[in-house]
Amino acid sequence: MKKYFIALLAICSLTFSNAQTVVGDATLPNTMKVEGTNLILNGAGMREKIIFDLYAGGLYLTKKNKNATAIINADETMAMKLEIISGMVSSKKMVSAVDDGFDASMNGNTKSLNSEIEKFKSFFSDKIVKTNVFDIVYIKGKGTYVYKGGNKIGMIEGLAFKKALFGIWLGNDPADDDLKEGMLGL
């Protein structure tokens, strides 16, 4: 009987461990549900600066996809989860990184989305601390929603904004090459 209990416990442990993915000091769920749409973790990685881990990022899609351009351009519900794992990430540094990211994603031509970018940056005005989790969720036909700790902090309409935003991590000049590869499951 004891052997059966140990075997059952081992199977339950394996099942539970498959429900999450560990990335550095962060643990990301393998699935998300957004307005009735089931999303799966496409891939995950770490955003690093020099030698420091800043945040873990996960990309969630309806089905696995390794094509960054197709993901950026898709008018499909998808999400990114960013878990802050360093005290070095502050509101000011996040806003600066977002500026740099949009500039890279849009090849320096951000004027067409300037008001949307400013609104997005305002979502990071509150203090950011280690263990904060941001969910950036694009809902087909509606727009991009941003959540901090599960609480909605804002929404921006439009596919054009979503393309530029997801291009920060998945574009030709991403915020972090290794994070891009991780999110694409490469």
Side-chain angles (χ1 to χ4, degrees):
M1 183 72 155
K2 185 176 178 181
K3 288 181 185 178
Y4 293 116
F5 178 74
I6 292 172
L8 181 62
L9 184 62
I11 290 170
C12 290
S13 295
L14 288 174
T15 302
F16 179 73
S17 68
N18 287 336
Q20 301 177 7
T21 297
V22 176
V23 182
D25 291 339
T27 303
L28 303 177
N30 286 343
T31 60
M32 288 178 74
K33 192 165 192 162
V34 176
E35 287 198 1
T37 301
N38 292 319
L39 301 176
I40 58 172
L41 182 63
N42 191 68
M46 187 65 63
R47 169 68 168 109
E48 299 171 333
K49 188 82 168 189
I50 307 171
I51 59 168
F52 301 103
D53 292 342
L54 301 177
Y55 61 80
L59 173 65
Y60 294 82
L61 306 172
T62 56
K63 61 184 177 194
K64 296 270 187 172
N65 189 340
K66 295 179 186 286
N67 184 324
T69 303
I71 295 166
I72 290 169
N73 292 318
D75 187 12
E76 297 295 331
T77 298
M78 61 183 66
M80 286 194 185
K81 184 176 285 291
L82 308 177
E83 184 171 332
I84 309 300
I85 62 165
S86 170
M88 294 173 49
V89 178
S90 66
S91 177
K92 183 177 178 180
K93 288 179 183 177
M94 182 67 91
V95 168
S96 177
V98 165
D99 272 333
D100 293 344
F102 276 112
D103 193 50
S105 175
M106 299 178 71
N107 299 313
N109 187 16
T110 59
K111 195 171 193 173
S112 64
L113 292 175
N114 198 38
S115 63
E116 290 89 343
I117 292 169
E118 289 303 314
K119 183 176 180 181
F120 182 76
K121 292 187 316 187
S122 76
F123 299 159
F124 301 99
S125 61
D126 287 343
K127 185 175 182 179
I128 296 174
V129 296
K130 188 176 177 178
T131 72
N132 280 161
V133 177
F134 292 92
D135 290 306
I136 299 169
V137 179
Y138 176 74
I139 299 176
K140 180 180 180 175
K142 292 186 178 179
T144 303
Y145 294 79
V146 179
Y147 299 84
K148 180 180 181 183
N151 298 311
K152 185 171 98 174
I153 54 177
M155 184 267 204
I156 299 173
E157 294 179 354
L159 180 59
F161 177 77
K162 176 264 183 183
K163 288 179 180 183
L165 179 61
F166 277 64
I168 290 174
W169 295 277
L170 302 174
N172 293 329
D173 187 12
D176 186 298
D177 290 319
D178 292 335
L179 177 56
K180 175 182 175 178
E181 286 184 9
M183 287 182 165
L184 292 175
L186 300 175

